[in-house]
């Protein structure tokens, strides 16, 4: 590493020590490869005639209408997911008359001084008000 005292990097460079696991790379490759394999199998099932599929030795496979129903159900599921999250956000929104609309739920402990029997919170008096009381109004 370089620094103001030693501005030149060492040559040959120091190799970093390999401490992390390579398992995520392996799992990612397996997920990528299996996704492509399943997609190719899906396309073959959807487009090949029955004679070719039975010639491959497959004796039973789902009806071809599922090749359209599965993507359609998937799109409906995605749309319902968006709708559900939107509805949950609306359901979690406080009413307009609620104080939490302006302040939020985290602000509730600070509203304890707003009770009628509470001691007012200490604060600084504005400098202009102090000057008017001490020196009177401006001429």
């Amino acid at each position: 590493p370089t620094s103001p005292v030693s501005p030149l990097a060492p040559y040959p460079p120091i190799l970093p020590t390999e401490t992390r696991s390579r398992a995520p790379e392996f799992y990612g490759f397996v997920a990528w490869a299996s996704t492509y394999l399943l997609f190719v199998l899906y396309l073959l099932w959807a487009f090949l005639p029955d004679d070719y599929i039975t010639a491959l030795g497959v004796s039973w496979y789902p009806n071809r209408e599922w090749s359209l129903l599965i993507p359609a159900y998937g799109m409906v599921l995605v749309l319902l997911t968006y709708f559900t999250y939107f509805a949950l956000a609306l359901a979690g929104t406080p009413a307009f008359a609620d104080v939490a609309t302006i302040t939020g739920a985290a602000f509730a402990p600070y509203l304890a001084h707003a009770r009628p029997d509470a001691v007012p919170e200490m604060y600084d008096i504005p400098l202009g008000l102090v000057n008017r009381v001490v020196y009177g109004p401006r001429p």
Side-chain angles (χ1 to χ4, degrees):
T2 60
S3 69
V5 178
S6 173
L8 298 176
Y11 185 80
I14 302 170
L15 296 175
T17 58
E18 189 68 30
T19 58
R20 65 183 180 91
S21 172
R22 296 183 61 94
E25 296 174 8
F26 175 74
Y27 291 142
F29 174 74
V30 169
W32 172 79
S34 61
T35 301
Y36 273 97
L37 178 67
L38 288 174
F39 183 65
V40 167
L41 289 175
Y42 171 78
L43 290 178
L44 290 176
W45 164 63
F47 292 120
L48 280 181
D50 292 336
D51 299 335
Y52 289 108
I53 294 177
T54 54
L56 291 173
V58 178
S59 60
W60 182 89
Y61 51 90
N63 195 351
R64 296 289 170 88
E65 68 184 14
W66 287 102
S67 66
L68 293 177
L69 291 177
I70 289 173
Y73 285 160
M75 288 190 303
V76 168
L77 183 67
V78 167
L79 291 175
L80 282 176
T81 303
Y82 280 120
F83 175 77
T84 302
Y85 279 116
F86 183 70
L88 286 173
L90 283 179
T93 304
F96 285 125
D98 194 0
V99 177
T101 304
I102 300 170
T103 60
F107 193 72
Y110 299 105
L111 293 178
H113 70 277
R115 292 190 314 254
D117 59 338
V119 176
E121 187 176 346
M122 187 170 58
Y123 60 91
D124 291 334
I125 300 175
L127 188 59
L129 179 63
V130 172
N131 285 338
R132 275 191 302 241
V133 170
V134 173
Y135 302 114
R138 287 186 171 173

